[in-house]
């Protein structure tokens, strides 16, 4: 069994109900921050980390995701004819090599643990990454790249972690940590969506994981946990109990929760201001809104 992480699972079977009515006809994962869909940010981060096999756990109504990663020969021809090379280059970044991407159906919405388990045969006996596209992380080095580099030293299982306020803790899987070693947080336990007063720490699991295949074996016989769903958190907690080989990883970067409307809007502003071609005009507009608000007060 290799320690090199080359496979990543992208659980994208959710209905995206918080973004209705838009998600009635389009998958939430192809909603755009500026001009790139959420899933493209996830794919680019995975590529930077050395991922070469991309496994999508999908559901009915997600065919637009598959189309997004397919070639668009008519559009490419039109861009070539118009000599729009920059747009053509950007379009080609969305192409996936034949055989690099696989799609698995999650027939019933039974939770994140079940979605990951659906990909067990494609993962085989290798460590694998899990990336939740709702969590967009901006940083000089991608979050998964940071984790892969750390994992090469630690092995075991690794969970991206960040501190969250007590009022938000019940929305996350939460790590109990043995010690704070800076970036690395050796874990002594993990619990799904605890009440703030019951939480073992304020370190929450964010949507990046590097997991060993033993997690899949645990999920084989997993029972429904919090919310009546099969929780990935419970399978990771079993690895802590049985093997004591789970680390939280405090990544460098800013995380945006694009599964919420407020987080999506915050990410849109941040990524818009980060763009050289948009910064001046967009920044001036935001400043004018701020000035108008102060004037009204």
């Amino acid at each position: 069994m290799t320690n090199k992480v080359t496979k990543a699972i992208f659980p994208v079977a959710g209905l995206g109900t918080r973004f209705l009515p838009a998600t009635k006809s389009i998958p939430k994962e192809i909603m755009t921050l500026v001009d790139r869909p959420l899933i493209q940010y996830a794919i680019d981060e995975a590529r930077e980390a050395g991922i070469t096999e991309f496994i999508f756990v999908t559901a009915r109504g997600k065919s637009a995701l598959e189309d997004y990663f397919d070639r668009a020969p008519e559009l490419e021809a039109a861009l070539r004819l118009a000599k729009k090379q920059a747009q053509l280059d950007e379009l080609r970044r969305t192409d996936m090599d034949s055989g690099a991407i696989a799609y698995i159906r999650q027939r019933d919405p039974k939770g994140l643990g079940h979605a990951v388990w659906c990909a067990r045969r494609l993962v085989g006996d290798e460590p694998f990454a899990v990336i939740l596209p709702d969590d967009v992380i901006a940083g000089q080095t991608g979050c998964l790249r940071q984790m892969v580099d750390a994992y090469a030293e630690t092995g075991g299982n690794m969970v991206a972690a960040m501190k969250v306020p007590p009022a938000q803790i019940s929305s996350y899987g939460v790590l109990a940590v043995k010690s704070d070693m800076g970036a690395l947080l050796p874990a002594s336990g993990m619990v799904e969506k605890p009440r703030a007063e019951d939480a073992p720490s304020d370190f929450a699991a964010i949507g990046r994981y590097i997991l060993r295949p033993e997690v899949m074996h645990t999920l084989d016989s997993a029972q429904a946990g919090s919310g009546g769903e099969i929780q990935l958190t419970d399978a990771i907690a079993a690895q802590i109990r049985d093997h004591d080989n789970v680390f939280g990883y405090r990544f460098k970067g800013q995380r945006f929760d694009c599964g919420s409307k407020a987080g999506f809007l915050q990410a849109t502003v941040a990524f818009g201001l980060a763009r050289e071609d948009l910064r001046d005009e967009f920044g001036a507009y935001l400043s004018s809104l701020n000035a108008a608000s102060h004037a009204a007060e």
Side-chain angles (χ1 to χ4, degrees), residues 40 49 52 68 129 159 180 188 203 233 252 258:
Q40 187 67 56
T52 56
Y68 175 77
V159 179
D180 187 339
S188 59
F203 283 108
T233 295
K252 295 179 181 178
C258 291

Side-chain angles (χ1 to χ4, degrees), residues 176-192:
V177 298
K178 299 177 185 177
S179 60
D180 187 339
M181 299 170 58
L184 284 176
L185 304 165
S188 59
M190 192 173 181
V191 60
E192 179 70 13

Side-chain angles (χ1 to χ4, degrees), residues 46 91 95 106 110 134 159 178 187 217 219 222 232 238 251-252:
L91 183 65
D95 290 347
Q106 183 185 25
K110 295 182 179 179
D134 277 0
V159 179
K178 299 177 185 177
H217 305 328
L219 288 169
L232 184 60
F251 57 90
K252 295 179 181 178

